[in-house]
């Protein structure tokens, strides 16, 4: 990308950018308003410091060459920031004053934050203080003790069927699971808000699973130690719900509490749902919550992509762009990838096994039963429509990951085309 208005006399507007030291010679540079961040060397941080003082591009280049003993391409650095979405062309060239409020910016680059992430920090901070985290951990530990004491409380696939009617059971289970998934993401957003970081909610794909995801990119603006609470917030909520579902059943099994059998089955479905969610979050190779925790703890910057490209290189040739990414990868990413790749491969094998042994058989049963009902029932009768609903539900679950993958591919192509359109045509 080349910015026509950017030259040696330009005074880029960078005063709104955030610079924070991440490691000995690494700095996080980003725009808190848009949630875009990159890691730069000390020279990059110094470059922003000089530009913030109002110096021109040429003056900054001269100063850095004197300090470092070698020339620095300031224009190229600024163009990289524009391409990364940290600056826009007006800010990079200094051609015009730009309104800093994201809500009043150009609609084409407007960031739409999730409403629940805009809540004042003082309201949600008590949910993530020391007392709160002690409570969350206590819920998880207590649940584990109850499972050990009474193995009948452990979940079974049969717990998904709350009532005898298959369609009604699927409806109840999926509505509850989706509702809890949304609250799980809200808890992430609350924890981000408590740390002063806004977030976005989006639909994404993790392997063969479609998931809701809270984008907390703005956490890059915080020291590593302050990122753990937002990353683990969703699992904290899941631990509480799991305890709330297991404890009454434990008391019921001991004769301490009298519960309606329908409620007992509903609680069993909750246990199945929450155990599944917590287990899913531990699958780091799917870039789940625990992946973010692990990447932060190891100081990695791009572990997943480095691992994927390292494995891809073993079976096929990388593209020139992929070769550059792997060549310039952080030393920590390369070191951790040596053992993380084993976890990554194990995850791929597990997903294939899970799909073959659970998803495919379940789809066969659901679609087969529904087809039989539709063939045997009178056209447009209640049972005929029940079969239609089951087939629609089954096909939607099977094809949803493909639709999300296709959507992401289309978005990537559009973004690439937009960048190419912005490039000047060489004469």
């Amino acid at each position: 990308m080349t910015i026509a208005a950017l030259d040696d006399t330009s005074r880029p507007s960078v005063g709104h950018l955030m610079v924070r030291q991440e490691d000995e010679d690494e700095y996080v540079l980003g725009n808190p308003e848009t949630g875009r961040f990159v890691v730069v060397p000390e020279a990059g941080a110094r470059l922003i410091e000089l530009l913030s003082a109002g110096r021109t591009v040429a003056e900054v280049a001269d100063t850095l060459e004197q300090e470092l003993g070698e020339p620095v391409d300031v224009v190229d650095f600024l163009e990289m920031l524009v391409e990364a979405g940290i600056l826009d062309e007006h800010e990079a060239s200094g051609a015009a004053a730009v309104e800093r409020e994201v809500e009043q910016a150009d609609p084409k680059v407007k960031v739409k934050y999730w409403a629940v992430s805009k809540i004042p920090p003082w309201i949600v901070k008590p949910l993530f203080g020391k007392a709160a985290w002690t409570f969350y951990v206590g819920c998880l530990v207590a649940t584990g003790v109850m499972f050990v004491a009474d193995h009948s409380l452990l979940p079974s696939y049969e717990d998904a069927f709350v009532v005898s009617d298959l369609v009604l059971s699927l409806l109840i289970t999926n509505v509850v699971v989706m509702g809890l998934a949304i609250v799980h993401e809200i808890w992430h957003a609350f924890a981000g808000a408590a740390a002063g970081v806004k977030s976005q909610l989006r639909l994404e794909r993790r392997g063969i699973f479609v998931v809701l995801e809270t984008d907390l990119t703005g956490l890059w603006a915080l020291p590593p130690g302050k990122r753990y609470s937002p990353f683990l917030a969703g699992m904290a909520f899941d631990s509480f719900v799991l305890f709330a579902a297991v404890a009454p059943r434990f008391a019921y099994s001991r004769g301490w509490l009298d519960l309606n059998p329908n409620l007992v089955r509903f609680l069993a479905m909750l246990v199945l749902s929450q155990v599944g969610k917590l287990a899913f979050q531990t699958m780091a190779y799917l870039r789940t919550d625990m992946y973010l925790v692990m990447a932060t703890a190891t100081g990695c910057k791009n572990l997943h992509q480095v691992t994927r490209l390292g494995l891809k290189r073993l079976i096929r040739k990388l593209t020139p762009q992929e070769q550059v990414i792997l060549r310039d990868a952080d030393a920590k990413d390369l070191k951790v990838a040596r053992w993380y790749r084993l976890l990554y491969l194990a995850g791929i094998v597990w997903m294939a096994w899970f799909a073959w042994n659970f998803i495919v058989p379940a789809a066969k049963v659901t679609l087969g039963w529904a087809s039989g009902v539709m063939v045997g029932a009178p056209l447009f009768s209640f049972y005929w429509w029940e079969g239609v609903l089951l087939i629609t539900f089954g096909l939607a679950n099977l094809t949803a990951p493909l639709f999300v993958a296709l959507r992401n591919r289309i978005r990537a192509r559009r973004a690439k085309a937009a960048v190419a359109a912005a490039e000047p045509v060489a004469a």
Side-chain angles (χ1 to χ4, degrees):
M1 172 180 285
T2 301
I3 303 173
L6 177 60
D7 56 31
D8 288 345
T9 63
S10 299
R11 298 179 187 272
S13 177
V14 299
H16 60 296
L17 300 185
M18 180 224 72
V19 179
R20 183 185 57 74
Q21 187 168 4
E22 177 80 1
D23 210 336
E24 184 177 352
D25 187 38
E26 291 182 345
Y27 290 75
V28 173
L29 167 63
N31 188 337
E33 296 168 353
T34 62
R36 298 294 184 89
F37 297 85
V38 293
V39 177
V40 298
E42 185 176 2
R46 176 62 174 153
L47 185 153
I48 296 299
E49 180 185 1
L50 293 171
L51 289 175
S52 297
R55 301 191 186 188
T56 65
V57 168
E59 291 170 344
V60 171
D62 290 340
T63 301
L64 287 176
E65 185 172 1
Q66 293 175 9
E67 294 178 354
L68 303 177
E70 59 182 357
V72 175
D73 193 334
V74 179
V75 171
D76 183 65
F77 183 81
L78 290 168
E79 289 175 347
M80 180 273 292
L81 294 184
V82 172
E83 191 170 348
I86 293 173
L87 290 175
D88 64 28
E89 293 189 19
H90 294 287
E91 293 168 330
S93 64
V98 179
E99 178 59 54
R100 299 297 172 218
E101 290 296 330
V102 177
E103 288 76 12
Q104 298 178 15
D106 186 343
K108 294 182 180 180
V109 296
K110 181 178 179 180
V111 178
K112 296 181 180 179
Y113 290 114
W114 198 8
V116 296
S117 71
K118 298 179 181 180
I119 193 168
W122 64 268
I123 294 178
V124 290
K125 274 187 176 181
L127 296 174
F128 307 101
K130 290 183 179 179
W133 279 107
T134 300
F135 172 74
Y136 296 139
V137 173
C139 285
L140 190 59
V141 171
T143 300
V145 171
M146 288 185 285
F147 279 154
V148 172
D150 188 348
H151 292 175
S152 68
L153 299 175
L154 292 170
S156 165
Y157 76 93
E158 297 174 344
D159 294 333
F161 303 101
V162 182
V163 295
S164 58
D165 186 283
L166 180 60
V167 173
L168 184 58
S169 280
L170 288 174
L171 179 62
I172 293 173
T173 300
N174 279 273
V175 167
V176 171
V177 169
M178 181 57 68
L180 290 174
I182 293 174
V183 180
H184 171 105
E185 299 305 324
I186 288 176
W187 231 248
H188 280 302
F190 279 170
V197 175
K198 296 178 182 178
S199 56
Q200 297 171 275
L201 181 67
R202 60 192 183 192
L203 190 68
E204 284 296 339
R205 180 180 63 88
R206 291 290 178 264
I208 59 175
F209 305 103
V210 174
V211 298
L212 288 173
E213 179 181 84
T214 303
D215 184 352
L216 285 164
T217 310
L219 289 176
W220 271 100
L222 305 179
K226 293 187 177 181
R227 301 173 196 164
Y228 293 114
S229 181
F231 288 156
L232 292 170
M235 296 180 69
F237 171 76
D238 291 337
S239 298
F240 163 67
V241 175
L242 179 60
F243 171 79
V246 173
R249 292 181 66 215
F250 182 79
Y252 175 76
S253 68
R254 292 294 188 272
W256 303 339
L257 188 64
D258 186 26
L259 297 176
N260 185 292
N262 291 327
L263 177 58
V264 173
R265 287 194 291 270
F266 181 80
L267 292 175
M269 181 270 291
L270 285 181
V271 172
L272 175 63
S273 166
Q274 297 310 104
V275 168
K277 286 181 183 178
L278 288 170
F280 176 81
Q281 295 300 340
T282 64
M283 299 174 188
Y285 61 90
L286 290 177
R287 290 169 292 160
T288 58
D289 296 345
M290 287 307 297
Y291 167 79
L292 297 174
V293 171
M294 184 186 71
T296 300
T298 56
C300 292
K301 307 298 185 301
N302 193 20
L303 176 61
H304 186 83
Q305 187 176 32
V306 169
T307 300
R308 183 179 61 81
L309 293 180
L311 290 172
K312 181 181 178 181
R313 183 174 56 181
L314 299 176
I315 57 176
R316 58 182 296 188
K317 186 177 180 180
L318 301 179
T319 65
Q321 183 179 6
E322 290 173 335
Q323 292 175 2
V324 171
I325 293 174
L326 205 55
R327 183 198 66 195
D328 298 338
D330 187 91
K332 291 181 180 178
D333 287 342
L334 294 172
K335 182 179 179 180
V336 175
R338 294 171 187 171
W339 58 263
Y340 178 72
R341 68 179 60 181
L342 300 177
L343 182 63
Y344 187 93
L345 288 172
I348 294 176
V349 172
W350 178 87
M351 273 199 301
W353 176 86
F354 182 85
W356 182 255
N357 288 278
F358 287 90
I359 294 180
V360 172
K364 285 183 178 179
V365 171
T366 301
L367 296 178
W369 185 88
S371 300
V373 168
M374 290 182 64
V375 171
L379 194 64
F380 301 123
S381 66
F382 173 80
Y383 292 108
W384 187 87
W385 282 113
E386 190 174 57
V388 171
L389 180 61
L390 270 180
I391 289 178
T392 303
F393 174 79
L395 292 177
N397 275 278
L398 288 175
T399 58
L402 298 177
F403 279 112
V404 175
L406 180 62
R407 180 207 65 181
N408 290 347
R409 185 178 292 270
I410 292 174
R411 286 181 177 178
R413 286 182 177 177
R414 287 177 178 174
K416 186 176 181 180
V419 171
E423 295 281 2
V425 179

